[in-house]
Amino acid sequence: QSPLVESGGGFVQPGGSLTLSCTSSRLSFNYYTIAWFRQAPGKEREGVSCISRSGNSDHITEYADTMKGRFTFSRDDANNAVYLRLNSLKPEDTAVYFCAAVRSGYACSAYVEGYDYWGQGTQVTVSS
């Protein structure tokens, strides 16, 4: 059973917003590098954004220019959760969004091979 659980997906009209959540009852996110990926029908899974921690500072990496400025990644240590806020959604953002994790010490990666743990995904559909 996957140690990561995503939620918050749904159906939204173009221009709308959603907030995706990723939580775990098994992994303490303080000790993990966490990423969001997405996979559209018929396409490969692609990196969206990643958050890594160095000391007390978080560093966020965004992987695609098409998503920069529209998607915001945040971490909530108190609730052992990470969030991906999706704004100004477009039909091409339609995909299953996945949360992934690897132990801290490993750098953010845009590739699926860079992560050891995955969630089951949450569907985001953008359509009028």
Side-chain angles (χ1 to χ4, degrees):
Q1 188 172 0
S2 173
L4 303 176
V5 179
E6 303 95 336
S7 62
F11 184 95
V12 64
Q13 293 185 337
S17 299
L18 286 172
T19 298
L20 309 183
S21 302
C22 175
T23 61
S24 178
S25 62
R26 290 167 48 189
L27 307 182
S28 177
F29 284 177
N30 282 334
Y31 303 107
Y32 287 83
T33 293
I34 312 291
W36 284 98
F37 283 73
R38 70 182 185 181
Q39 188 166 17
K43 295 188 176 181
E44 293 187 353
R45 198 168 295 188
E46 63 172 345
V48 174
S49 186
C50 177
I51 192 166
S52 59
R53 175 160 286 170
S54 177
N56 293 324
S57 299
D58 282 331
H59 178 70
I60 296 173
T61 304
E62 298 174 306
Y63 290 118
D65 290 340
T66 56
M67 295 179 260
K68 290 180 181 179
R70 298 191 298 124
F71 295 178
T72 303
F73 198 154
S74 61
R75 185 198 294 260
D76 180 354
D77 289 341
N79 291 300
N80 198 43
V82 295
Y83 306 103
L84 186 68
R85 175 69 175 177
L86 312 176
N87 291 323
S88 303
L89 282 163
K90 305 174 181 180
E92 52 264 42
D93 295 319
T94 294
V96 179
Y97 285 71
F98 297 89
C99 179
V102 65
R103 279 199 172 273
S104 292
Y106 289 90
C108 281
S109 172
Y111 302 101
V112 298
E113 295 81 7
Y115 299 89
D116 295 326
Y117 304 97
W118 291 85
Q120 295 297 315
T122 184
Q123 176 71 48
V124 172
T125 303
V126 185
S127 176
S128 55

